[in-house]
Amino acid sequence: MKLADSEIIAGDRIGNIYLGMTYEEFSTLYGDDDKSEEVRYSCSFRILFENFMVLFSNDEKKLDEITVFGDFKGKFRNIIGIGSTLSDVEKYIGDYYEAYEICPTYAIKDCDGICFELLDIDALTDDYIEYDYDSIEKLLPIEYITIFKGKP
C-alpha cells in the first residue's frame, strides 16, 4: 500500500494520517493487509508500507511519527519533498540545523515537528572515498521526511 501524494504539515499530519490518531483509527483507514513489516520495540511499534511508515507508542497506542520516502510526491509548504535539497530548504523555508549526527538528519530552526534525512552518500558508490561532507550536504537529496510533535 502507498500513501497518496499529500500535503505534509509539520507536527500535525500527512494527508489524512495525523499525529495522535489511535491504532484502531489508523487500521480502519489503512488496514493491516498491505503492510510489509511490523517491528515492535519496548516502548513503540513501527509499521512499514511501500512509501511511508508510522510509529505508534505501545502504552497509549497513539501515532507518534509519520515518515515518507521513496516515490512519495507530497510536499511540505508546497515546495519541499523527497528529492529536494538543504539548499532548497534554506532558500524557500529558512535556516536549518543538524538534528542527529548518526544519520544526516536536519531540522528547521523556526519550525518544530519536521526533519529531513539526506541520502547517505556512501550508498552512491561501492568505493570508499573521503568526502568533505560539509561542502556537499546542501546538494544531497532528501530521502526521508518525518513529522512528529515538538523538536527532534
Side-chain angles (χ1 to χ4, degrees):
M1 168 188 298
K2 289 187 177 189
L3 184 60
D5 301 334
S6 309
E7 181 180 15
I8 300 169
I9 300 176
D12 185 39
R13 65 183 172 83
I14 298 178
N16 62 350
I17 303 175
Y18 60 90
L19 298 174
M21 80 186 316
T22 65
Y23 177 77
E24 290 76 24
E25 291 169 322
F26 178 82
S27 293
T28 299
L29 290 174
Y30 289 95
D32 286 332
D33 297 337
D34 294 329
K35 67 184 175 187
S36 59
E37 175 185 335
E38 182 174 325
V39 178
R40 294 198 176 266
Y41 304 99
S42 60
C43 61
S44 61
F45 63 98
R46 179 187 76 195
I47 305 172
L48 178 64
F49 294 89
E50 286 184 58
N51 67 352
F52 74 105
M53 66 181 150
V54 290
L55 183 74
F56 287 90
S57 62
N58 268 341
D59 54 350
E60 296 178 2
K61 290 194 174 27
K62 290 195 175 178
L63 187 56
D64 287 337
E65 289 184 4
I66 308 164
T67 300
V68 292
F69 53 87
D71 63 356
F72 179 80
K73 302 286 187 236
K75 303 285 185 195
F76 171 64
R77 296 192 181 167
N78 295 317
I79 299 170
I80 303 300
I82 303 301
S84 298
T85 65
L86 288 179
S87 289
D88 298 329
V89 170
E90 189 173 54
K91 181 178 180 180
Y92 299 110
I93 307 295
D95 291 335
Y96 61 87
Y97 62 95
E98 187 171 23
Y100 303 109
E101 271 188 44
I102 293 174
C103 52
T105 303
Y106 297 85
I108 302 169
K109 286 187 178 178
D110 295 328
C111 181
D112 292 346
I114 190 166
C115 65
F116 309 100
E117 185 176 333
L118 304 181
L119 176 69
D120 181 2
I121 193 159
D122 294 329
L124 297 176
T125 179
D126 292 334
D127 302 324
Y128 176 78
I129 300 171
E130 191 89 17
Y131 294 100
D132 177 10
Y133 193 79
D134 291 338
S135 67
I136 61 170
E137 74 180 0
K138 287 185 174 188
L139 306 175
L140 292 173
I142 293 170
E143 190 171 30
Y144 299 93
I145 299 174
T146 300
I147 66 159
F148 46 87
K149 294 284 186 191
K151 294 186 177 293

